[in-house]
Structures are given as C-alpha cells and as structure tokens.
Amino acid sequence: MIFKTIKHIREHFFIKFIFVFTVVMFLMSVLLAFFFMRHQSTVLESHLIHHGKLITDMLAYNARLGVFAENKELLGDVVNGVLMQESVQEVFVYGLNFQELMEKKATPESRSRKDHPARESSIDGKDPILTPYFVESEHEISFWAPVFSRSVGINKEALFPETPVLSPKRSPIGYVRVLVSKDILKARKRLLAGKSVVLGLFLWALGSCTLYLVMNKLIEPLKRLTVTVDRMGRSGQFRKIRIVISDEIGKLAEAFNRMSESIIQRETDKTRLEEQLRQAQKMEAIGTLSGGIAHDFNNILGAIGGFVELGLLEVKTGSVLHEKFKEIEIAGARATELVKQIITFSRQQDDKLEPMFIRTVTKEVLKLLSPSVPHSIRVEQNINAECGMVLSNATKIHQILMNLCNNAIHAMKESGGVMKVTLADVDIEDNVEAHEAGFFSGRFQRLSVEDTGHGIPSETMEKIFEPFFTTKTDGEGTGMGLAVIHGIVSRHNGFIIVHSIPGKGTAFHVYLPLVDLEEIPEIPEKEEAIPMGRGRIMLVEDDPQLLESTAGMLESLGYQVDKQSDGLEAIGFFNRNSWDIHLIITDMSMPGLIGATLAREFHQIRGGIPVVLTTGYSELIDERKAFTLGFAGFLTKPISRKVLAVTVKNLIKIPF
Ligand SMILES: Nc1ncnc2c1ncn2[C@@H]1O[C@H](COP(=O)(O)OP(=O)(O)OP(=O)(O)O)[C@@H](O)[C@H]1O
Ligand SMILES: [Mg+2]
C-alpha cells in the first residue's frame, strides 16, 4: 500500500511538487509559530518586569511621606492605588530596618509572601538597599525599591524617575516591595502558544491551498496537452490544442501544434505520393503489357491486311466475296487505328519532339471543332498570346485537345453549358494544384479544358486514364482517349491534373514543360534508316536520264525494276506481266496518254495495283487530286532516295 502510494507520488510531478512543498510549508509554519511564540513571550515578560519596576518606583516615590511619618493612613491610599494594577498580588512597605509598616494583598485569597524579605535581598538583609531590583521565582516576581526622603538630581518633570542619581550621602528611609503574580503571564503565554499553533496551521493551510490552486492552474494546460497528445497517439487523428495564454506552456502547445501540423502535412504528402506512385506503377504496367500486345497485333494485322489485299485481287469486284473482303479490310483498318493508339499510350512510339508554339494548334483545333459543337454549349477561349514554346509535336497536341474537348462536349451533351479552353504559362511554385500533385519547381505551359458537365464520380476518377475504360455507351467511345493523352503527356515529361465535382463540371489541366529557346541544344538530325524492300516495280519515265537514275535508286533499295519510257508500251508490258508486278511508278505526262487516265488504264488491267504518280513542280496537280484520280502515292521531282524508299516500302505489300 505504502509502496503503491510512493510510486503514485513519484509518477506525478504535480503530487510530487505539492507533497514536497506542503512538507516545507509545514516545517516553515512550525518554525514561524515557534519564533513568534518565543518573541511574544519575551515581550510579555519584559513588559511585566517593566510594568513591575514602574509601579514599584512609583510606590517608593509616593510612599515617602507615609514611610517618613510611619503613618499607615498616608500609606494606605498609595498602596491601594498600586494594588489596583493588574497582576499585583501583594504590596509591602518597610521601615529602614525592614520592619513592616504596611502589608496588603490584592485579594484575601492571594498567597502571602510575607516571609523571607531579607533573603530576597542581594545582601544579607542588614545593609541598606540603594537601587531598585527584582527577584524572580516560579510563581511571582518580587520588586524592591528604596524609599528616600526626597529626590535629588532627578528630573523634576519626570513622572517616574528611572534611575535616580544618588548622592553618596543619601540613605534610604525605608523600602517598598511589590509582589507581582506570574499567573496572568502564564495564562497569556498559554493563550499565545494556542494562537501560535493556530497561526502556524493557518499559514500552512493557506500556503498549501494557494499552492494547490496555483499549481492546478499552471498544470492544467500541461494536463490538456498530455490528454490531447495521448488521444492523438491512440487515434492517429490530429486535434489542435487550444492556447489560452502565451506563456511557456502556451508556447509549448504552439510548438506542439506546429509539429503536429507538419507531421500531418508529411503524412498527407506521403499518402498522396504513395497513391501517385501506385497509379504510375499501374499505368506503367498496363502500358508495358498493352504495348507488347499492340506490337504483336500490329504485325498480325499487317499480315491480315496483306492477305486481304491479295484476296481482293483475286475476287471479282462487286461479288459477295469481294464485299466480305472489303469488310475485313475496313475492320482491319479500325483495328490498326486502335493498335496505333495503344502504342501511343504505352509511349513506345518515338515521335520527334521539337520546339513549337501550342497556341496555333489550339486555335486550329477549336476552329475545326466549332461546327460540331451543339448550340447549347458555349465555347470560351483564353489563349495567352505571350505563351512560350514547348518541346512537342503538332499531331500530339491536336490529339490531346481533340480528345479533351470531345469529352467535355460529351459531358454537356444533354445539359448544355460552357467549355473553357485556356492556355497559359505558369510557375509551379505559385501553383497550388501542381503543388498538390507533388511538383515543386519549373516553368510549365498549362493547357486547360474545363466544362460544366456531369462531372466524374470519385469512384471512377482513378480509372479514367486506363485504356479501354469508358462510361460511354456502345460505340460512343473506346475509352482510349485519356489513355492516349496520358501516354503523350508522359512522353513530354509533363503531367495532368483533374478536378471534378459530380453534377458541377470537370477541369483537365495538362502541364507541359516550357523550353527556353536559348537552352535548346543543337540536336543533330538523326539519320533515319532508309527502309529496304523487295518486289517488282515497273517504272515509266520518258526522260531517259531520270529513268536511269530513279531505276538505279530503286535497285539499290532491293527492288527489281522494269524500265519503260513510253506510255503505250508500258501498258502493253503490264498487260503481259500484270501478276508479277507489285507497283507502278509513272510520270504525269507520258506521250500518247493523259496522265490523269494512266491509273485507270492500269487498274483496268489489274484492279488494286498501286500506282505512284511522279510530277514536276510546274504541273497543276497536288497530292489530294492524285489520290482522287486513283493514285496510291504521289512523288514530286526531284525525288529523294529516302522519300522514294518510304513511299515504295509502304505500298508494296508482299506477305512473305
Ligand atoms: N470532361 C469529362 N466529364 C465527365 N467525364 C469525363 C470527362 N472526360 C472523361 N470522362 C470520363 O472518363 C472516361 C474515359 O475517357 P476517355 O476519353 O479515355 O474515353 P472515352 O471518351 O470514353 O472514349 P474515347 O475517348 O475513346 O472516345 C469517359 O468515359 C468518362 O466517363
Ligand atoms: Mg474521350
């Protein structure tokens, strides 16, 4: 039990302090009471002695006549006056030889001390007493004073001469003796002791209570702090401590609040970064997986496409089988487009990025979109003309903006609303949302598409960048839009922030790093490999030199070339060898034939044969016109080996 109490005291600063202080206070109170009592009883004693001396001297002075005349009547009044004084027990008046002239007690019950008058004297009782003195016993004090016939050398104005200057010739005529009882002194001392104890106890209690209250007040914030910290430790939830006064404990609470805020902030940052990391890892994994699949699919689709084309060559145009092959071709083209998107998402496409102004492309896209925007949707654009350059690629920006705008328009399809497209340069340091996303420095260009559509519910928010995630009904969307944007933006070393409030709207902010033109290193043009190929090409060209040089180029690229310098001869040759020839390259102006009809002539012999048209700058034909005339490719002279190689390679489809 005792050990338990000691342990309890030791564990609590408050109790420890109160305990020690109470003990100290107690000792101090005892000491104080003791000294108070000592001092007061000394004062009482000296007061009594002083009083005794005074009345004895007064008696000696006033009894002169009575003693001289040895007249009891004269003495009676004087003695009675003295006896009226408090504590005076008995009064004696003696003659010169100590014969008793008068003796009177204060009350008849008072003890008489008539005996031993001589014994109390400092001398043997025979010598005269020249100065007043007193003798103290257990119960009383006996004051003696000589009585002189007249006073000499004393101040006549003094009422009670203290020490009369005695002339050696003077001798006393008698003596007075006053017995003062110590009973009252003792009673007072007892009372004093009682008072001292009470005073001591009072001081002790007062000190202890004051200390308790003060300590309690002081310790209160500490207790609150401890409880809050303890609660926080248990629940892991932060609660701000109320700061009442800004004293040391208040400062401690303030410091604690600051520390807690910083811990919470770090915890939040950590959780957010973990979430970002998890998301990034997920996207990376999906990207790697889908990228690998997409590449294999691409090859398979290539083979399917090739065989479909071959199949198309073998079936009659307009037949049921031809139609079916056409359907396969269309589906294959759609699949190829999808695969292209997956490759973009997986960032395995190595597009060339170069410094460019996004604002031009942005305006172009908005212009392109405007006819398809419903009337219920208002488009606002805020494109800052001062915007800097980013390392990018126009096609990719086109893709990003088209996708974001289409999503926004779709979200407002039923309700209508406002679509806001903003382009501005921002400093990440001043940007709250970027800070939230964990980006802390750098200058970025921010392309924002905001809408007032239906918004994105929080449960789907983390899936929107996943490939094939869509909430659109069949056929409306593939779910590749945002996945592709994610791939593009990551390749730009940028990031995307999405804010959405269901029912209110959505904001997509795409951040792309700004480039300082002076900082762009001179990037040497990468020598791209010229694609080689195989297959048989009929080259029709009336200029013999050009015929030879182009044929030489093609041969160096791995192709077998049949050179023809005359249009009609070329048609005859093709008629004979149509199934061995994979591609025709023909000049625009051939003698005997109008360039425009060339493709038709060749197609009549063998439908589907790819025919590439070569033209000089002066001729009034462009790529688009060439395609409408049925040409599969278009080359402007002078033809570079690289362009020739790429065009031919893309058009010759040999399955193996
Ligand atoms: N602005 C927006 N408002 C509301 N929801 C949106 C918005 N943008 C995207 N979403 C949601 O994110 C999903 C994925 O968008 P994403 O662009 O990747 O695919 P999609 O638009 O469904 O299909 P696709 O882009 O291939 O046509 C959408 O289906 C839609 O649920
Ligand atoms: Mg979309």
Side-chain angles (χ1 to χ4, degrees):
M1 175 71 186
I2 269 204
F3 285 120
K4 242 181 160 182
T5 318
I6 292 174
K7 196 166 170 260
H8 189 67
I9 290 174
R10 285 184 59 159
E11 277 173 4
H12 290 83
F13 168 74
F14 178 64
I15 301 178
K16 219 162 31 182
F17 194 82
I18 291 278
F19 179 75
V20 171
F21 197 83
T22 311
V23 171
V24 172
M25 275 293 288
F26 179 75
L27 293 176
M28 276 172 64
S29 303
V30 168
L31 272 176
L32 206 75
F34 176 72
F35 284 115
F36 175 73
M37 204 176 76
R38 277 281 305 270
H39 176 258
Q40 284 304 98
S41 60
T42 317
V43 168
L44 278 178
E45 265 174 35
S46 63
H47 181 73
L48 190 72
I49 290 168
H50 182 72
H51 187 65
K53 275 184 184 172
L54 216 63
I55 52 176
T56 311
D57 284 347
M58 193 185 72
L59 178 65
Y61 184 76
N62 293 333
R64 290 191 321 266
L65 264 178
V67 172
F68 181 73
E70 292 189 355
N71 183 331
K72 282 200 180 187
E73 259 177 53
L74 278 175
L75 288 171
D77 284 345
V78 182
V79 168
N80 282 342
V82 172
L83 280 170
M84 278 166 73
Q85 297 293 313
E86 195 186 39
S87 307
V88 175
Q89 191 181 313
E90 201 172 3
V91 175
F92 297 89
V93 181
Y94 301 104
L96 188 61
N97 297 317
F98 290 102
Q99 75 277 19
E100 195 178 282
L101 298 179
M102 178 151 223
E103 180 269 332
K104 204 160 186 183
K105 286 192 268 183
T107 52
E109 320 69 76
S110 300
R111 236 177 310 142
S112 175
R113 291 296 313 266
K114 215 185 230 190
D115 53 331
H116 326 303
R119 239 188 297 152
E120 284 184 341
S121 135
S122 57
I123 40 179
D124 58 5
K126 287 187 182 93
D127 290 342
I129 301 165
L130 296 176
T131 53
Y133 75 98
F134 66 90
V135 179
E136 202 175 342
S137 70
E138 194 192 342
H139 297 293
E140 65 263 309
I141 309 169
S142 183
F143 293 92
W144 284 87
V147 180
F148 296 101
S149 56
R150 64 188 174 95
S151 57
V152 180
I154 56 162
N155 182 357
K156 286 193 178 131
E157 281 161 27
L159 184 59
F160 305 116
E162 281 270 315
T163 37
V165 181
L166 299 171
S167 123
K169 288 175 200 148
R170 286 183 72 219
S171 54
I173 55 168
Y175 304 96
V176 289
R177 179 185 169 217
V178 177
L179 262 180
V180 173
S181 164
K182 273 186 166 179
D183 288 352
I184 292 181
L185 182 69
K186 279 180 188 164
R188 283 193 182 157
K189 276 190 180 176
R190 272 198 302 278
L191 191 69
L192 189 68
K195 276 185 185 169
S196 303
V197 170
V198 171
L199 179 76
L201 285 175
F202 174 74
L203 282 179
W204 182 49
L206 185 75
S208 301
C209 286
T210 315
L211 177 79
Y212 179 82
L213 293 176
V214 170
M215 278 299 288
N216 217 13
K217 194 88 194 138
L218 286 178
I219 223 94
E220 175 70 18
L222 262 182
K223 275 192 197 160
R224 268 209 315 271
L225 193 70
T226 316
V227 170
T228 316
V229 175
D230 192 46
R231 238 184 253 153
M232 260 185 70
R234 282 173 211 278
S235 66
Q237 278 178 352
F238 171 67
R239 268 184 55 206
K240 243 186 168 180
I241 298 165
R242 198 162 50 88
I243 296 161
V244 187
I245 316 171
S246 176
D247 55 4
E248 277 77 3
I249 295 176
K251 287 202 176 85
L252 179 68
E254 253 173 40
F256 183 82
N257 279 347
R258 271 199 303 278
M259 187 190 77
S260 308
E261 272 165 19
S262 126
I263 291 174
I264 302 273
Q265 185 57 43
R266 272 187 233 168
E267 278 296 311
T268 323
D269 286 352
K270 197 175 132 222
T271 317
R272 199 196 57 235
L273 288 176
E274 276 171 2
E275 177 52 31
Q276 279 175 2
L277 183 68
R278 199 179 61 77
Q279 191 69 10
Q281 281 172 341
K282 188 176 83 181
M283 296 302 272
E284 193 71 40
I286 300 175
T288 315
L289 184 74
S290 55
I293 296 172
H295 267 291
D296 287 351
F297 255 82
N298 212 21
N299 294 342
I300 297 165
L301 283 171
I304 293 174
F307 279 115
V308 166
E309 264 191 58
L310 285 178
L312 275 171
L313 294 178
E314 289 184 27
V315 295
K316 234 174 98 202
T317 317
S319 67
V320 179
L321 204 56
H322 188 273
E323 285 306 308
K324 284 182 179 158
F325 270 123
K326 272 284 177 205
E327 286 299 321
I328 297 173
E329 197 178 34
I330 292 165
R334 272 194 10 232
T336 311
E337 181 53 35
L338 206 60
V339 164
K340 246 204 247 163
Q341 288 188 347
I342 298 175
I343 290 173
T344 310
F345 160 70
S346 63
R347 282 180 273 153
Q348 289 176 8
Q349 207 179 40
D350 208 10
D351 292 308
K352 200 172 161 220
L353 304 180
E354 45 195 32
M356 61 170 285
F357 289 109
I358 289 184
R359 56 173 188 264
T360 331
V361 192
T362 311
K363 282 182 188 159
E364 265 173 33
V365 173
L366 289 176
K367 207 185 277 173
L368 205 70
L369 263 173
S370 62
S372 58
V373 179
H375 291 301
S376 57
I377 297 172
R378 194 175 81 240
V379 180
E380 283 178 12
Q381 45 173 301
N382 186 3
I383 296 160
N384 191 342
E386 311 275 280
C387 279
M389 279 185 153
V390 295
L391 261 191
S392 188
N393 174 311
T395 322
K396 298 298 163 199
I397 298 298
H398 198 278
Q399 236 172 326
I400 292 176
L401 207 56
M402 272 298 218
N403 250 311
L404 290 180
C405 289
N406 277 331
N407 283 350
I409 292 168
H410 188 272
M412 297 186 286
K413 204 168 65 178
E414 269 144 38
S415 59
V418 182
M419 179 174 84
K420 206 159 113 190
V421 178
T422 322
L423 190 71
D425 291 352
V426 291
D427 255 325
I428 292 295
E429 281 85 354
D430 313 331
N431 197 270
V432 179
E433 58 190 22
H435 266 294
E436 279 170 14
F439 290 86
F440 298 108
S441 61
R443 279 180 56 71
F444 282 76
Q445 192 156 101
R446 183 178 60 189
L447 174 63
S448 308
V449 178
E450 292 158 87
D451 65 64
T452 55
H454 55 64
I456 306 169
S458 54
E459 58 272 18
T460 48
M461 186 61 108
E462 68 171 38
K463 296 199 192 118
I464 57 172
F465 289 104
E466 287 174 17
F468 302 111
F469 174 80
T470 180
T471 53
K472 294 176 185 167
T473 42
D474 276 352
E476 273 193 298
T478 57
M480 278 307 292
L482 289 177
V484 167
I485 293 177
H486 185 273
I488 297 173
V489 174
S490 303
R491 195 159 128 57
H492 280 70
N493 292 327
F495 58 95
I496 308 167
I497 292 171
V498 191
H499 288 302
S500 186
I501 304 172
K504 289 254 164 90
T506 309
F508 278 87
H509 302 287
V510 174
Y511 286 81
L512 301 173
L514 273 169
V515 281
D516 191 344
L517 272 184
E518 284 162 21
E519 280 178 13
I520 302 172
E522 204 59 49
I523 308 162
E525 185 87 3
K526 205 168 112 195
E527 191 55 55
E528 273 180 41
I530 294 176
M532 304 290 282
R534 60 196 178 85
R536 192 168 165 190
I537 300 170
M538 184 174 84
L539 178 65
V540 192
E541 173 58 68
D542 60 347
D543 180 349
Q545 275 180 331
L546 212 55
L547 179 68
E548 284 309 318
S549 68
T550 314
M553 270 196 258
L554 286 168
E555 279 162 359
S556 74
L557 291 167
Y559 300 100
Q560 186 190 338
V561 185
D562 295 305
K563 294 176 267 186
Q564 296 294 327
S565 52
D566 183 271
L568 291 173
E569 270 178 33
I571 291 171
F573 180 79
F574 182 62
N575 214 355
R576 291 191 299 277
N577 303 289
S578 65
W579 292 110
D580 296 326
I581 289 170
H582 301 108
L583 177 81
I584 298 168
I585 301 175
T586 177
D587 188 23
M588 171 73 179
S589 45
M590 291 296 300
L593 274 175
I594 309 161
T597 60
L598 268 173
R600 205 172 56 231
E601 292 288 341
F602 290 128
H603 283 145
Q604 266 174 6
I605 298 168
R606 200 192 108 190
I609 179 81
V611 186
V612 175
L613 187 66
T614 59
T615 67
Y617 280 120
S618 55
E619 283 152 22
L620 295 168
I621 189 161
D622 58 14
E623 195 168 15
R624 201 163 55 83
K625 205 165 166 195
F627 286 131
T628 54
L629 290 173
F631 290 101
F634 180 80
L635 293 168
T636 39
K637 293 174 192 169
I639 304 162
S640 79
R641 184 168 176 264
K642 193 170 154 188
V643 174
L644 182 67
V646 174
T647 313
V648 171
K649 177 81 182 169
N650 285 342
L651 291 171
I652 292 188
K653 299 271 190 291
I654 298 178
F656 41 81

